Amino acid sequence: MRFRGNKQFASAVGLVLGLLCAVEAAKVNKHKPWIETTYHGIVTENDDKVLLDPPLIALDKDAPLRYAESFEVTLTEEGEICGFRIHGQNVPFEAVVLDKSTGEGVIRAKDKLDCELQKEHTFTIQAYDCGEGPDGANMKKSHKATVHIQVNDINEYSPVFKEKSYKATVIEGKKYDSILKVEAVDADCSFQFSQICNYEIVTPDVPFTIDKDGFIKNTEKLSYGKERMYKLTVTAYDCGKNRASEDVLVKISVKPTCKPSWQGFNKRIEYEPGTGSLALFPSMHLETCDEPITSIRASIELETNHIGKGCDRDTYSEKSLHKLCGASSGTVELLPAPSSSANWTVGLPTDNGHDSDQVFEFNGTQAIKVPNGMVSTSLKDPFTISVWMRHGPGAHEKETILCNSDKTEMNRHHYSLYVHNCRLIFLLRQEPSEAENYKPAEFHWKLDQVCDKEWHHYVLNVEFPTVSVFVDGTTFEPFLVTEDYPLHASKIETQLTIGACWQENSGHDNDTETVSEPSSGGNARMAQFFRGNLAGLIIRTGKLENKKVIDCLYTCKEGLDVQLPEEVASAIKVEFNPNQSSLTVEGDDIDAFDKVMQHISYLNSRQFPTPGIRHLRISTTVKCFNEESCVTVPDAEGYVMVLQPEEPKISLSGIDHFARSAAEFESQEGVTLFPELRIVSTITREVEADTESEAAEGADDDPTVQETVVSEEIMHNLDTCEVTVVGDELDGEHESLEVDMSQLQQRSLEMSSSNVGLVITGVNTMANYEQVLHLIRYKNWHTEALFDRKFKLVCSELNGRYVSNDFKVEVNVIHTASPMEHANNAMVQPNFINPVHHASVDLSGHNLVNAHQASVVPSAATIVIVVCVSFLVFMIILGVFRIRAAHQRTMRDQENGKENEMDWDDSALTITVNPMETYEDQHSSEEEEEEEEESEDGEEEDDITSAESESSEDEEGGEPEDQQGASRQQQLEWDDSTLTY
């Protein structure tokens, strides 16, 4: 029994040991956890929970069974999942075990995710078990699985437009498929929320629409006249129906229908004289409406035909202009401005005013005769005829410009310049000669300029048998020359006429006018009248005008100019006409062409230009690749307004009243009329005041406040100074006005004289004219009946455009009285000559510069009155002296009687005489004369002493002056023998 019991015990112990061994064997961690190889997850931004597919579960074979048939094992931890590990940099996720025994876990975000920053995340994950024992030894890790997580978007952003505003330009009358596109963006990351699903025009009642892509177009044709600019407000919506945070402004400008033209220039351009060159088109450009252009040609014309003789030129006399241009000798001006020395043009109508050249009008009934002697009877070659002419299509009769014909009887034309059927014809009949052969006599030029109603300059150079004509500087040869016999010898005088031809009445009354001048052998008439305008008719004998002089006479002082920029000089071609009134620009580069046009300028070199309008015209021709659709550029027009120049005020000043002795008038030198003449020219400029109120306050506070205009002295030329006599004309037999001709010639000036004065002409400086006028002298050989003479001086510039003041000078003649015996030495000198010399004496407002000029006598009557009054005063004083002398003698006799009664012991007495008393006595008579003239009351007689009466008695005795001087010296001696000091 004990054995059997022992066997059972042994079996039980074995079983327990087996179980213990089995349990111990079960604690060994032999297997790795297992997870899926790939996971896909979704997470919504701003949330941390990740939905994985498949779920995150780790399995381990070492995990015990939860339930057994006999018992449950609950004591071991082998096979449990302790955690998950994520591998990757900056992974914003973490894995958490929910149940260790089942291996279930989740992935969640550490922080809120932003889809806009990162839409997807990829990383690896690995599971690990709890290992063996409490310390987790022999821990096993699963393989690494890849996890892809997508971040789902939420509609947190609104659309935003790319531009702050949009602009577009459309042309009126056109319907566009698309004018412009607006575009908005959404910052959301998903396609659904980041896409713009709709655009909308918020502004109501506008003729525009917008599609879902943001394209705007007009729903009707737009009109520039109705609305020039539309302003639209546009918004956008994303696909999540979020509206744009800010609407956008769209501006659509409506342009008129595109027309190729010049744009960007002012039609009125003001030119201020003296400012030099002025850019005409500084901002101009050519609009071609996007048409492809191959070449451009533009002509710019400056129209100055209405200014003077075709443009602005110096308005000096034609003779002066010839001198300025180098033709200094032999010129005779046949149409001068009317003056005292050239009065044959007085009756002709002229232009109004002196701003421009003086021209003469011939209306078909007027003509003038040139005085005899102005031009030689027969012109000998070489010679030149130059004239400015404006003539239109006329009748078929001859119209004479210049004609030299017989005064009487034969009606022969010696030479003549006339127009006929738009031809210029010059007739020159040779004088009688030995050979009676045909010679060239009539030269014809067919010229369009003769009948175009414009001003042209004609110069005929005659060097027989050759005659050439220059029209506006261009030479023309005659197309027809006819011959004739020379004239027969005759003693008949000739008459030079302008505007018609002088001839006897031949029975034809057409175009003739009877002249009221008698003639022998019939009625004298003018025939072949000229209809048009003439100016500057000159004949120059002995020389021909060269091309340089002709160009100088014709060249304008105003015109167009251009300074080509270096970068376009080679690409653009520019050509000028001779007088620079027009230019042509040609090129194929539009940008370079515009630059050249912007550098075109207007220039007027005259100091005092003619004011007024100069029209501008731009004619443009373009060529295109497609000639059929090539654009046409209309002409552009504008004008230059030349402002009125500041008019100079020419002032003449100097001594205007003085006297000279008759001997000086009769001397060889004569009397200088303008010894201290000054010529000054000033202009008045306006100065802007600071404010009108300040100016008004200043004017109230200070009466001497400066005005808003100031005068400024300027320098310019003069062309005429005329000295005329005021009163009776000069009598050539005993008086004259003279000037040193050599001084005139040195300054290229000329002088003409007549019985009313003299005229100095020629363009020269004011200083030179001043020097010459200082030399003008007046001489008179018979001054007995002459007491005064008056003259007037006037100077002018630009042929009378600017005239000085009338400077009048009065010269008095001093007649010296003949020597005669005087009772008193005080009367030896004439009483109107003051022996005391002063630096200056002021008589009646006339400043006299020296003592010689101080001898001013207003008139001869004044001289006679002064002499008579002085003589009367002298007689009164003499009578008073005699009465006082008798009274003094009576008093001395009475005193002598008393002296006999009284005896004085005067042995030691010394009498001292005041030497000044006797000297004063000698001059008392002169002082009394002056006092008598001032007061005429004779109250000074009481102061006369006996010494004065004795002195007067000595003077009556007629003592010589040397004896009087000796007596005065004796009276002035001192008896100082007894003086003590």
Side-chain angles (χ1 to χ4, degrees):
M1 285 290 294
R2 182 178 300 179
F3 175 78
R4 184 181 297 178
N6 289 334
K7 279 186 174 183
Q8 291 178 350
F9 177 76
S11 299
V13 171
L15 179 62
V16 171
L17 291 173
L19 288 173
L20 290 174
C21 291
V23 171
E24 189 67 25
K27 289 182 179 179
V28 178
N29 191 11
K30 297 189 295 182
H31 299 91
K32 297 179 179 180
W34 178 89
I35 58 176
E36 299 287 344
T37 58
T38 304
Y39 293 91
H40 293 277
I42 297 174
V43 63
T44 302
E45 62 178 347
N46 299 328
D47 192 5
D48 61 350
K49 185 177 181 180
V50 181
L51 298 178
L52 285 178
D53 182 26
L56 181 60
I57 298 176
L59 301 177
D60 196 332
K61 292 181 178 182
D62 294 324
L65 295 176
R66 286 188 173 269
Y67 301 99
E69 292 181 358
S70 57
F71 58 90
E72 181 178 1
V73 180
T74 59
L75 301 177
T76 61
E77 294 181 357
E78 289 78 4
E80 291 186 352
I81 303 301
C82 280
F84 297 93
R85 182 171 298 169
I86 294 175
H87 299 277
Q89 292 183 351
N90 301 322
V91 178
F93 295 96
E94 61 182 359
V96 179
V97 178
L98 298 179
D99 189 346
K100 292 184 178 181
S101 61
T102 61
E104 184 180 358
V106 294
I107 297 177
R108 61 188 178 190
K110 297 178 181 179
D111 297 310
K112 292 183 180 180
L113 300 176
D114 191 347
C115 177
E116 287 72 32
L117 295 178
Q118 189 169 349
K119 295 175 65 174
E120 292 184 355
H121 298 269
T122 300
F123 53 88
T124 60
I125 190 170
Q126 192 175 32
Y128 60 91
D129 58 19
C130 294
E132 299 175 359
D135 56 355
N138 196 21
M139 181 183 64
K140 301 292 183 181
K141 297 179 181 179
S142 70
H143 61 274
K144 292 181 180 180
T146 301
V147 181
H148 300 281
I149 297 178
Q150 179 179 345
V151 180
N152 282 351
D153 185 26
I154 62 174
N155 194 9
E156 58 182 330
Y157 292 99
S158 298
V160 177
F161 286 94
K162 287 186 175 182
E163 304 290 340
K164 292 183 178 180
S165 63
Y166 292 87
K167 295 180 181 180
T169 302
V170 296
I171 299 175
E172 65 174 347
K174 185 177 179 181
K175 205 168 181 182
Y176 290 83
D177 294 331
S178 174
I179 296 175
L180 79 160
K181 180 183 179 181
V182 298
E183 186 176 1
V185 293
D186 195 310
D188 288 315
C189 65
S190 64
F191 178 83
Q192 177 185 4
F193 299 138
S194 65
Q195 294 299 307
I196 306 299
C197 285
N198 188 30
Y199 291 93
E200 181 182 345
I201 297 176
V202 180
T203 306
D205 301 327
V206 290
F208 299 93
T209 184
I210 187 169
D211 62 15
K212 62 183 183 63
D213 295 322
F215 289 99
I216 298 176
K217 63 181 180 179
N218 54 322
T219 57
E220 62 184 43
K221 294 181 179 180
L222 305 178
S223 173
Y224 177 79
K226 181 180 179 181
E227 191 72 40
R228 297 187 179 185
M229 177 180 287
Y230 291 91
K231 296 181 180 180
L232 314 177
T233 301
V234 177
T235 190
Y237 295 90
D238 62 18
C239 294
K241 296 185 178 182
N242 269 3
R243 181 173 174 169
S245 57
E246 290 185 4
D247 298 339
V248 71
L249 177 65
V250 179
K251 296 180 180 179
I252 300 178
S253 300
V254 182
K255 288 179 61 177
T257 304
C258 182
K259 297 177 181 178
S261 61
W262 288 105
Q263 298 181 359
F265 77 99
N266 295 324
K267 291 187 176 181
R268 175 187 171 95
I269 305 160
E270 291 188 353
Y271 180 81
E272 184 176 352
T275 56
S277 181
L278 173 66
L280 297 176
F281 321 113
S283 303
M284 189 170 69
H285 68 278
L286 180 61
E287 175 61 59
T288 60
C289 296
D290 298 328
E291 186 71 25
I293 304 297
T294 58
S295 67
I296 312 170
R297 178 184 175 89
S299 297
I300 299 92
E301 297 181 9
L302 179 71
E303 296 181 3
T304 59
N305 295 336
H306 61 292
I307 303 296
K309 299 189 292 288
C311 68
D312 212 0
R313 297 181 176 89
D314 285 330
T315 56
Y316 296 117
S317 67
E318 199 67 23
K319 192 171 184 179
S320 296
L321 291 174
H322 274 70
K323 283 190 175 182
L324 291 175
C325 289
S328 59
S329 62
T331 56
V332 178
E333 189 171 5
L334 301 182
L335 282 176
S339 65
S340 59
S341 59
N343 56 6
W344 63 88
T345 59
V346 171
L348 286 177
T350 61
D351 64 335
N352 296 323
H354 294 287
D355 284 346
S356 189
D357 294 340
Q358 190 170 41
V359 299
F360 297 92
E361 180 182 357
F362 294 84
N363 58 11
T365 63
Q366 296 164 319
I368 59 173
K369 295 190 294 183
V370 179
N372 295 332
M374 291 294 298
V375 183
S376 59
T377 304
S378 60
L379 291 175
K380 296 181 180 180
D381 60 339
F383 65 90
T384 298
I385 300 175
S386 67
V387 65
W388 286 91
M389 180 177 71
R390 178 169 60 186
H391 181 263
H396 296 289
E397 292 84 10
K398 296 179 179 179
E399 298 181 45
T400 300
I401 301 170
L402 177 69
C403 179
N404 187 35
S405 60
D406 290 337
K407 272 191 176 182
T408 58
E409 299 179 3
M410 301 183 68
N411 288 339
R412 297 179 304 173
H413 293 186
H414 294 250
Y415 59 87
S416 176
L417 179 65
Y418 61 95
V419 295
H420 187 209
N421 292 332
C422 294
R423 298 180 182 182
L424 182 68
I425 303 171
F426 178 63
L427 170 68
L428 178 61
R429 299 290 301 277
Q430 292 296 303
E431 295 300 320
S433 61
E434 296 180 359
E436 295 291 332
N437 299 326
Y438 274 108
K439 293 184 177 180
E442 209 169 45
F443 302 84
H444 296 246
W445 293 269
K446 191 172 183 180
L447 303 169
D448 295 335
Q449 292 90 335
V450 172
C451 294
D452 64 359
K453 294 184 180 181
E454 301 291 345
W455 278 106
H456 297 285
H457 186 233
Y458 299 85
V459 177
L460 277 78
N461 275 341
V462 181
E463 191 171 18
F464 196 80
T466 302
V467 180
S468 59
V469 66
F470 291 84
V471 182
D472 297 338
T474 303
T475 182
F476 294 89
E477 296 298 328
F479 79 96
L480 177 63
V481 178
T482 60
E483 296 182 342
D484 201 348
Y485 284 108
L487 294 174
H488 297 290
S490 173
K491 295 183 180 180
I492 301 174
E493 294 183 355
T494 60
Q495 177 63 59
L496 182 61
T497 56
I498 300 173
C501 207
W502 179 270
Q503 65 183 37
E504 285 291 322
N505 186 7
S506 58
H508 302 284
D509 295 334
N510 293 336
D511 295 328
T512 61
E513 178 184 356
T514 302
V515 179
S516 61
E517 181 175 317
S519 62
S520 59
N523 293 329
R525 290 179 178 269
M526 291 284 190
Q528 302 173 5
F529 284 95
F530 179 78
R531 294 176 177 84
N533 297 96
L534 298 175
L537 181 56
I538 285 283
I539 291 182
R540 186 185 185 196
T541 59
K543 288 186 178 181
L544 300 177
E545 300 286 24
N546 58 44
K547 186 67 166 59
K548 182 178 180 181
V549 173
I550 295 172
D551 290 341
C552 175
L553 292 172
Y554 174 70
T555 300
C556 296
K557 294 293 185 179
E558 65 178 340
L560 301 174
D561 192 17
V562 61
Q563 298 294 331
L564 289 179
E566 294 182 0
E567 62 271 17
V568 300
S570 59
I572 303 298
K573 181 181 179 181
V574 179
E575 293 181 350
F576 286 89
N577 71 335
N579 61 355
Q580 290 191 293
S581 63
S582 67
L583 62 86
T584 302
V585 183
E586 190 171 359
D588 54 7
D589 186 337
I590 295 180
D591 293 336
F593 201 93
D594 288 343
K595 286 185 179 180
V596 172
M597 295 294 290
Q598 292 167 7
H599 283 78
I600 294 175
S601 59
Y602 169 80
L603 177 64
N604 195 317
S605 60
R606 293 190 65 192
Q607 187 175 9
F608 306 108
T610 303
I613 292 175
R614 277 77 163 163
H615 289 281
L616 279 170
R617 178 178 289 106
I618 305 175
S619 303
T620 310
T621 304
V622 298
K623 292 183 179 181
C624 309
F625 288 104
N626 186 355
E627 292 296 335
E628 295 181 358
S629 62
C630 192
V631 298
T632 300
V633 180
D635 292 350
E637 295 184 355
Y639 62 92
V640 177
M641 172 59 75
V642 178
L643 302 179
Q644 180 75 37
E646 300 289 347
E647 294 194 1
K649 180 181 179 182
I650 306 173
S651 302
L652 309 179
S653 61
I655 301 173
D656 58 0
H657 193 180
F658 59 90
R660 294 289 186 271
S661 65
E664 291 190 47
F665 287 91
E666 298 175 357
S667 66
Q668 184 67 27
E669 291 78 13
V671 174
T672 302
L673 290 182
F674 313 107
E676 297 191 8
L677 176 71
R678 288 246 16 235
I679 304 177
V680 177
S681 183
T682 57
I683 60 174
T684 302
R685 296 185 183 274
E686 293 186 0
V687 178
E688 296 183 0
D690 293 340
T691 59
E692 295 182 359
S693 59
E694 291 180 2
E697 293 175 3
D700 295 338
D701 299 339
D702 185 4
T704 62
V705 65
Q706 292 184 355
E707 301 291 338
T708 57
V709 294
V710 295
S711 294
E712 178 182 343
E713 185 173 342
I714 63 170
M715 300 300 295
H716 58 78
N717 291 331
L718 298 176
D719 60 357
T720 302
C721 280
E722 184 174 4
V723 181
T724 55
V725 181
V726 178
D728 297 336
E729 296 181 351
L730 293 173
D731 187 348
E733 295 183 357
H734 60 79
E735 60 180 340
S736 67
L737 286 174
E738 298 180 0
V739 66
D740 190 345
M741 296 303 297
S742 62
Q743 295 294 327
L744 288 176
Q745 293 174 359
Q746 289 179 10
R747 295 167 174 81
S748 299
L749 299 175
E750 294 185 357
M751 187 269 289
S752 60
S753 60
S754 64
N755 57 352
V756 296
L758 61 83
V759 180
I760 300 175
T761 58
V763 180
N764 217 314
T765 63
M766 292 189 295
N768 281 337
Y769 263 95
E770 196 175 273
Q771 294 172 6
V772 169
L773 292 172
H774 287 169
L775 304 176
I776 294 179
R777 304 182 302 275
Y778 170 66
K779 297 171 66 174
N780 194 310
W781 299 279
H782 299 286
T783 58
E784 292 81 3
L786 180 67
F787 296 104
D788 56 35
R789 206 67 159 112
K790 297 179 180 179
F791 300 90
K792 181 179 72 173
L793 172 64
V794 178
C795 294
S796 64
E797 162 70 336
L798 294 173
N799 209 13
R801 180 176 176 184
Y802 302 116
V803 183
S804 73
N805 61 306
D806 293 348
F807 179 64
K808 296 181 180 179
V809 173
E810 180 179 348
V811 184
N812 298 122
V813 183
I814 302 175
H815 294 276
T816 305
S818 59
M820 56 185 298
E821 295 295 331
H822 298 281
N824 193 327
N825 284 336
M827 295 299 297
V828 174
Q829 302 181 58
N831 66 339
F832 50 80
I833 297 181
N834 190 349
V836 181
H837 296 275
H838 298 280
S840 63
V841 180
D842 188 12
L843 294 178
S844 303
H846 305 300
N847 293 325
L848 307 180
V849 292
N850 52 46
H852 183 71
Q853 294 174 358
S855 304
V856 177
V857 181
S859 64
T862 305
I863 297 174
V864 174
I865 292 172
V866 172
V867 171
C868 293
V869 172
S870 301
F871 184 76
L872 179 61
V873 171
F874 171 76
M875 294 303 296
I876 293 173
I877 294 174
L878 185 59
V880 172
F881 283 170
R882 291 182 178 275
I883 294 172
R884 292 290 292 173
H887 178 69
Q888 292 292 338
R889 281 196 296 272
T890 303
M891 294 299 294
R892 281 198 301 269
D893 292 339
Q894 294 176 359
E895 289 176 1
N896 289 335
K898 293 178 181 180
E899 286 176 4
N900 293 330
E901 296 175 2
M902 297 177 66
D903 293 330
W904 291 84
D905 183 10
D906 56 355
S907 58
L909 182 63
T910 301
I911 299 174
T912 302
V913 180
N914 185 359
M916 296 304 296
E917 180 180 356
T918 307
Y919 178 76
E920 292 174 355
D921 293 340
Q922 298 296 327
H923 294 273
S924 62
S925 60
E926 295 179 10
E927 296 175 357
E928 288 174 359
E929 286 177 15
E930 295 177 357
E931 293 170 356
E932 286 292 337
E933 290 176 4
E934 294 176 358
S935 62
E936 298 182 0
D937 56 6
E939 294 178 1
E940 302 296 333
E941 296 175 359
D942 296 338
D943 297 332
I944 300 175
T945 62
S946 61
E948 291 174 335
S949 64
E950 291 173 2
S951 174
S952 63
E953 289 176 356
D954 293 338
E955 290 171 357
E956 290 176 2
E959 254 182 49
E961 292 182 3
D962 55 346
Q963 294 181 7
Q964 292 179 9
S967 64
R968 291 194 187 105
Q969 186 175 2
Q970 291 175 1
Q971 291 173 0
L972 294 175
E973 290 181 355
W974 291 79
D975 183 10
D976 55 354
S977 58
T978 60
L979 288 177
T980 58
Y981 296 90

